[in-house]
Amino acid sequence: MTTYSIYSDRDEIEAERPCHAPDDAWCGDRPALECEIDLLHVEYRLDDIYRLQDARGLLKSSHACACPDSAIIDELVASGPIVELGAGKGYWARLIRDRRGDILAIDKIVRSNLWSPLEHGNEYSLRPFEDRTLLVVMPPRPGFEGILQQWHGSHLVVVTEGPFPHSDSHRMWGPERRAMDDAGWRLRKKRLLPEVACKIVSPKHATFWER
């Protein structure tokens, strides 16, 4: 696992971080990514939004584009078995597996320095796994409707920044809403992710769907 430091020029911050190592998926009972993001907010105090976003970008590359908390991971384990599409470096899959969840992680690009094993594939690889819950973290938007049309299972969990499906009737977002409505998806629950929103970042949510 990568051993970069987002505080490479701030040794005093490194000295105050004895709670987990760079390749630890967990910090005690919560995801290590949640701890790293908390430290960023302490360091930058939201007074330099763009430097904060740059630092968060490094964590997107090394961990994931969205940060779950322990409760969301437990809910995903309870919703299993799971197939995750677009799993990135496998960080969410690692957290789920560490809690003894059943997950198959898929991505069209299998990268190095993975947190968890991945299978090569895309939305067209999902057909054999429709007895599972589909998990998609930060899907491409607009354009997610194409992925939705390939999923014929009965359970879905989507993690997005901002509302999903988008309430705006603009032609950019209309196909996504129509794909959800036409397929008969019903919202079962919605969970807020533990990332502080600011003037250039909307809140992230996990939405749980069934049909």
Side-chain angles (χ1 to χ4, degrees):
M1 198 60 60
T2 182
T3 57
Y4 79 94
S5 170
I6 58 175
Y7 304 118
S8 59
D9 59 342
R10 301 175 184 272
D11 293 337
E12 70 280 5
I13 299 295
E14 280 294 315
E16 295 171 11
R17 188 162 60 108
C19 50
H20 66 273
D23 58 352
D24 287 340
W26 295 88
C27 180
D29 193 46
R30 65 178 186 155
L33 179 56
E34 185 180 359
C35 179
E36 291 285 357
I37 290 173
D38 284 350
L39 287 170
L40 288 184
H41 291 148
V42 170
E43 172 67 3
Y44 295 110
R45 301 184 186 280
L46 297 181
D47 57 355
D48 189 339
I49 295 298
Y50 296 101
R51 288 184 65 208
L52 174 64
Q53 287 300 100
D54 286 346
R56 179 64 180 95
L58 293 177
L59 291 174
K60 288 180 180 179
S61 298
S62 64
H63 290 67
C65 292
C67 176
D69 58 20
S70 182
I72 289 174
I73 294 300
D74 287 342
E75 290 189 65
L76 288 169
V77 170
S79 300
I82 292 170
V83 56
E84 182 184 7
L85 180 66
K89 286 205 167 185
Y91 184 71
W92 283 59
R94 165 70 180 275
L95 297 176
I96 291 168
R97 286 191 172 112
D98 284 351
R99 289 288 172 89
R100 300 191 178 183
D102 181 345
I103 181 168
L104 173 67
I106 297 174
D107 201 292
K108 62 183 179 182
I109 301 174
V110 179
R111 300 163 176 82
S112 59
N113 296 322
L114 296 175
W115 290 94
S116 188
L118 303 184
E119 299 289 336
H120 182 266
N122 55 27
E123 61 268 31
Y124 300 103
S125 309
L126 294 173
R127 184 59 63 88
F129 310 111
E130 290 175 350
D131 58 334
R132 293 174 173 256
T133 294
L134 174 62
L135 169 64
V136 189
V137 178
M138 301 297 286
R141 302 175 74 199
F144 185 39
E145 62 274 4
I147 295 174
L148 291 170
Q149 290 164 0
Q150 298 301 320
W151 178 244
H152 303 287
S154 57
H155 293 87
L156 171 69
V157 181
V158 186
V159 178
T160 58
E161 181 179 313
F164 174 80
H166 208 288
S167 58
D168 194 333
S169 60
H170 187 276
R171 60 186 176 85
M172 178 183 295
W173 301 110
E176 178 180 274
R177 173 164 288 280
R178 286 194 297 273
M180 293 295 288
D181 291 344
D182 291 348
W185 289 107
R186 300 182 302 276
L187 180 64
R188 187 162 59 90
K189 57 187 171 182
K190 181 178 181 178
R191 295 290 183 263
L192 180 67
L193 270 63
E195 295 196 47
V196 176
C198 59
K199 63 183 179 181
I200 62 171
V201 178
S202 299
K204 293 186 177 77
H205 296 90
T207 50
F208 293 70
W209 303 82
E210 63 185 9
R211 59 181 174 184

